[in-house]
Structures are given as structure tokens and as C-alpha cells.
Amino acid sequence: RAMATASEELEAKQAAAQEEGGEEEDDDEEEAPAEGSGDAAAAKKKKKNKKKKKKKAAGEDGDEDAVNLKGAGPVMPLGLDANAKLMNQLSLLTQSAGQRDGSPAGASEDHRFWGTQPMRSAANERQLEEGPIEPVDKVVSEEPYKLPGGFFWCTLNIDEEKEMNEVYSLLNENYVEDDDNMFRFDYSIPFLRWALKPPEYTTDWHLGVRAEKSLKLVGFITAIPAEVRAWGRTFKSVEINFLCVHKKLRSKRLAPMLIKEVTRRVNMKGIFQAVYTAGAVLPTPVASCRYYHRSLNPKKLIEVGFSRLAPRMTMARTLRLYKLPDTPTLQNLQPLQKKHVPSATKLLAQHLNHFKLATSFNEAEFEHWFMTRPDVVYCFVLESPLTGEVSDMFSFYALPSTIIGNEKYPTLKAAYAFYNVCTTCSYQALMQDALIMAKQLDFDVFNALNILNNEETLKDLKFGIGDGNLQYYLYNWACSEMAPRDVGLVLL
């Protein structure tokens, strides 16, 4: 969320800020007990306090997850990169009894759990050919895994209002939030139904855990069908999402049980591969990508604590810096309509063929995922004047966050880049119009991963790099690692 610009004046300010922050590196040395005279110890303590003041001025809090603000642009995030924290779709897997382990070499029970799973690793990458790690004809138990005492499995009917409200409440109160308890994802019920009911979805893959005494929903995980292509090979798969365990029950080891049981249920349908993302580093990512953030409403972002003014920047200058045109610059831009679906499906399929990790959409799937649903997903297209077919498209989905304890601004509206294709205009012009439309729809910030073709325009459009990475994982599929620009798959 460090909002960057391409202007020379701003780059000079960034360089100055970087020089000022250059003394922050050796803070650990200052923690050591002072030796020698009391004067020396006092001098060292004074120096340490001076450094801490510098960190505070730059927006850092000294936490191990603090944002590195060196080179930051005019709108700078406070201490923790809250939005990056919110991206950790499966970060609960690295939590036990309230402990967070984000290190690649973590020896936690959760990492040992993943060490028993058929995942790509440096070792098996040299030993295995590209393809399934475990045989696809393995015997699958028809009996569900046994849960700890006091809990039982359930399947959620997301068409039933009562059960859908239970899912919403569990996610809203227990899903990932930033460490400062300022922001929390707020998946709306329409969004959840869109995410969990694509064509050919399986109700049995909307899996929950309930407490026996209260019948309260305390755990949740989902899978939806997807056809995935990795390094030229296509296979049936599922996308895993929404793993959530009640905060008070993290020590019960329910998360690994949810993973095992949803895997068993998917295997029962003859599917043995899965794709998912996580902010945490587990064994072993196939790609490591980065979120970028573009301010659309900098005044609100600063007021709610999502961002802050950079040194020597006024609010008026910041507003001018991020100002967008009032209307789209591309002529004849229009919302996706049903008549566009056949040609838009073909256009996207041709585009995704250029990437090493991608999914595919038939027409029914394309209509489900891209037809505009207010406050859920938006798609805009350009038609060829010669053929009437779709020549260009951009899309983004809506994922707000609750701003905890803020009466004036209870919600932070965030748009996330989905799939974009251009053939008659530049990618930058296409993305700029996506920003303009998101601004018109009253979004506060626009987020994009450095996948697909996104990275080529991020700097010029004043996106700022986020602090955390988003890891892509393939379950039971051996393949080589790839760069973010090779990824053509967006997971919600």
C-alpha cells in the first residue's frame, strides 16, 4: 500500500525518504545489553530511542511484520500492512493456539502436517516427472475422518438463509484480520454465493464443523471445480478457499482435519488435484506473487488509518496526485451483456493460453463469473466495430473490509483486479479505465497482483507495492516453479 508514482518530483522525494530511513537496519544490535560505563549505556539508549522515533515518523512500529517504507510514495501505510494480512486465505493453517508462524523454515505442527501431503518440493522436483505425485487410482475411504470429541461434520446448504447467515457470521467474526484489529474482511452473502455456486458445483464440498452441545458452526472450508493447466498439461482440479476456524478453537487442530476431509470428499468424485493461495509460506509454492494497491479515495484511507500522508505532502497535493479522469477514456465502453458471452469467452481463452498456470472457462462458467452483479463483480467490454465481437475486456470484484470501531467509515471498499484482455488498446489504457470505473462505483482502493499482464502498468498508474507475498500452491502435482508473470489464474 505504499502508493508509488512515476513523476520525477515524487521520485526525488522517495529518494530523500529512503536516505532518511537508512539507519534502521541494525536495530537488533541496539537491543543488546550495554557494556561499560553508565554514560555509554545511556548514550546507547538515547541512540536507540532516536532510531525508534525515526521508525515512528516513517510509519513503522518495530514489529516483525512491519512494512518496509523505504522508497514509499505520498500515501504511506501505517505500521502493519493490513491489506496484505487480509490476503492470507489459508493462513489459519500456520496458526496453533494463537501462534503465527510465517517463516519458510517453521517447524510447527502445521508445517509438519504439510510435509506429509503430496506437495511439490525441491527434493521431489528432481525425482518426479511433471504430473501427479500420488497415483490417481489410490483407494479412497468412504468413511469421514474422525473429529475430536465434542464436534461433528456438517454440509452447508448455502441456498438456505439460516445456514448462509451462519457461514457469514463465522467468516465475519473469525476470518483473517490485520494484527492491529483495524480491518477485517467482510464477505457479503451475495459474494459468497457467487464464489461457491459456479456451474457444476458440489454441495458436499461446502464443509463445516459444528459443536455437539450448541450446534454452533465453528469451522468451514470449501472446494469448487476448476480445470487447470500447468506447464502445458491440463487436469481436473478444485480451488480450495474459505478455511476458517473459530478463534477460541484454534488449539483443537480442526484446520488440518478440515483439509483432510474436504480432500477425501473431492477424491470421492475422482479429482486428486487442487489449487489454492496463502499469504503464509508452506511447503512448497509454485509461484510467489505480490499485491499492489492504488488509492482511489486517499482522504478516506488516511482518515481511517489505512494510509498516512508522506513527509512534506499535504492532503491537497495528495488528492491531486491520485485524481483520475471523470469518465472512461476508451470509446464505447459498456457493461458485459449476455450477447457478449460467446466472443468474450473465446477472447479470454486465447489470452490465457499465453500463461503457464491458468484455468479455463466454458460459456456457462464465463457468464457466471463475469456477468455484472452489483457489489460483487463488474465486467466492461469493447466491441469490434467490424465484427461486433468483444475485442477488449476488464473486470474486477468487490471485497470490502469492516473498519473496526469506526462510526464515520464502517467499511473500506476494495476492488480487486480479475481478468483483463486488450487487443485494440494499450493495457495501460484498459487498466486506467478500470480504475475510473471503480472510482465511479465508490471504491476506496484498487488492488492487483503482479500476475497476468498487470505488472507492466502498475508503476505508471501509481500503484504502490504491498509488503506481503501471495503464494500459489498445487496439491498433488509436481512441476517447476514459475514467475508471477507466468501466472494466469486469479483465486478469490
Side-chain angles (χ1 to χ4, degrees):
R1 278 183 279 116
M3 306 298 183
T5 82
S7 70
E8 293 182 2
E9 178 185 1
L10 187 55
E11 288 178 356
K13 287 179 169 37
Q14 292 174 339
Q18 190 166 0
E19 289 178 6
E20 290 175 2
E23 297 181 42
E24 296 173 13
E25 298 296 329
D26 298 324
D27 211 33
D28 287 342
E29 290 184 15
E30 300 299 319
E31 299 289 345
E35 297 179 3
S37 68
D39 290 341
K44 182 170 282 191
K45 184 175 180 180
K46 184 176 180 181
K47 183 177 180 182
K48 177 182 172 183
N49 290 337
K50 184 178 179 181
K51 289 186 178 183
K52 285 189 174 180
K53 287 179 181 178
K54 278 194 174 184
K55 283 192 173 185
K56 188 173 182 181
E60 297 188 61
D61 61 5
D63 187 276
E64 62 181 25
D65 293 315
V67 179
N68 180 358
L69 295 179
K70 294 180 180 179
V75 178
M76 297 159 59
L78 292 171
L80 294 172
D81 189 348
N83 202 58
K85 297 297 177 208
L86 296 173
M87 303 305 165
N88 296 351
Q89 294 183 5
L90 295 179
S91 65
L92 297 179
L93 291 176
T94 56
Q95 296 178 9
S96 59
Q99 176 185 3
R100 187 182 69 245
D101 178 10
S103 64
S108 67
E109 292 182 22
D110 299 292
H111 279 207
R112 285 200 294 273
F113 163 74
W114 282 108
T116 67
Q117 302 302 300
M119 305 293 294
R120 71 175 292 271
S121 68
N124 67 28
E125 189 174 310
R126 293 189 294 268
Q127 299 168 4
L128 300 174
E129 293 184 2
E130 183 176 306
I133 297 172
E134 286 186 344
V136 296
D137 57 352
K138 69 177 184 178
V139 177
V140 180
S141 173
E142 295 186 4
E143 295 297 319
Y145 282 90
K146 184 177 177 61
L147 283 168
F151 303 98
F152 66 94
W153 297 114
C154 66
T155 299
L156 280 300
N157 179 359
I158 60 175
D159 287 323
E160 207 280 318
E161 290 301 322
K162 181 178 181 296
E163 294 193 9
M164 192 70 252
N165 282 322
E166 288 183 282
V167 172
Y168 172 81
S169 295
L170 178 69
L171 294 176
N172 184 260
E173 296 167 9
N174 299 278
Y175 209 45
V176 186
E177 65 185 40
D178 71 297
D179 287 358
D180 286 341
N181 297 316
M182 293 174 63
F183 306 98
R184 183 191 297 131
F185 269 161
D186 185 12
Y187 288 97
S188 69
I189 288 177
F191 184 100
L192 290 169
R193 287 186 169 136
W194 172 67
L196 298 179
K197 290 184 61 180
E200 309 301 326
Y201 79 95
T202 299
T203 301
D204 199 41
W205 297 348
H206 301 157
L207 176 62
V209 173
R210 292 188 184 275
E212 285 185 350
K213 290 184 178 180
S214 66
L215 302 183
K216 183 180 179 67
L217 184 68
V218 295
F220 189 58
I221 194 171
T222 69
I224 59 171
E227 187 174 80
V228 173
R229 187 186 72 256
W231 292 97
R233 291 188 61 179
T234 301
F235 49 90
K236 288 185 178 180
S237 180
V238 293
E239 297 175 4
I240 300 293
N241 209 342
F242 300 112
L243 173 63
C244 183
V245 175
H246 194 284
K247 291 176 181 178
K248 294 183 179 179
L249 299 174
R250 301 280 166 83
S251 64
K252 300 292 185 180
R253 305 290 298 153
L254 294 177
M257 298 305 298
L258 282 160
I259 288 286
K260 289 180 179 180
E261 178 59 18
V262 78
T263 300
R264 187 193 67 82
R265 294 187 180 201
V266 169
N267 290 167
M268 290 290 291
K269 299 291 186 180
I271 298 175
F272 297 89
Q273 278 70 45
V275 59
Y276 58 94
T277 58
V281 178
L282 307 169
T284 301
V286 68
S288 182
C289 307
R290 185 67 68 93
Y291 264 105
Y292 287 70
H293 317 285
R294 208 289 186 180
S295 174
L296 301 177
N297 187 352
K299 186 174 186 294
K300 176 179 174 180
L301 296 180
I302 291 168
E303 288 185 4
V304 303
F306 185 90
S307 305
R308 64 181 297 162
L309 282 174
R312 300 184 297 277
M313 283 295 289
T314 65
M315 180 66 77
R317 291 176 64 192
T318 299
L319 295 178
R320 285 198 301 271
L321 182 66
Y322 290 106
K323 183 174 174 58
L324 290 162
D326 293 330
T327 57
T329 59
L330 298 174
Q331 297 296 316
N332 302 316
L333 186 70
Q334 58 183 300
L336 177 73
Q337 302 174 46
K338 196 161 186 175
K339 68 176 182 177
H340 297 133
V341 169
S343 61
T345 303
K346 182 179 177 181
L347 175 73
L348 182 58
Q350 292 171 341
H351 180 64
L352 294 180
N353 281 336
H354 298 297
F355 301 94
K356 294 171 183 175
L357 177 64
T359 188
S360 61
F361 301 94
N362 59 35
E363 290 186 12
E365 291 166 337
F366 186 96
E367 182 174 344
H368 171 83
W369 289 117
F370 293 94
M371 193 66 70
T372 292
R373 302 171 185 233
D375 298 321
V376 175
V377 64
Y378 300 88
C379 184
F380 296 86
V381 301
L382 293 176
E383 289 180 339
S384 167
L386 298 178
T387 65
E389 295 190 340
V390 173
S391 60
D392 308 81
M393 62 172 279
F394 65 78
S395 57
F396 51 88
Y397 61 91
L399 182 48
S401 292
T402 299
I403 305 174
I404 300 170
N406 193 311
E407 295 183 1
K408 182 179 179 181
Y409 298 116
T411 300
L412 180 73
K413 291 190 64 175
Y416 290 75
F418 203 24
Y419 290 91
N420 310 308
V421 187
C422 61
T423 64
T424 66
C425 66
S426 70
Y427 199 78
Q428 182 168 328
L430 192 77
M431 285 291 286
Q432 178 175 274
D433 273 9
L435 296 175
I436 293 169
M437 293 308 302
K439 175 66 174 175
Q440 286 189 1
L441 291 164
D442 202 32
F443 285 93
D444 302 313
V445 62
F446 194 103
N447 302 318
L449 284 165
N450 60 340
I451 62 174
L452 296 156
N453 299 115
N454 292 343
E455 192 163 18
E456 64 190 63
T457 67
L458 296 174
K459 181 178 179 181
D460 289 340
L461 291 176
K462 302 173 186 174
F463 280 78
I465 189 169
D467 186 55
N469 287 325
L470 188 71
Q471 319 294 339
Y472 276 73
Y473 298 91
L474 289 175
Y475 182 89
N476 194 28
W477 192 264
C479 70
S480 301
E481 188 176 4
M482 60 186 69
R485 65 178 177 275
D486 296 323
V487 177
L489 175 63
V490 180
L491 300 183
L492 304 179

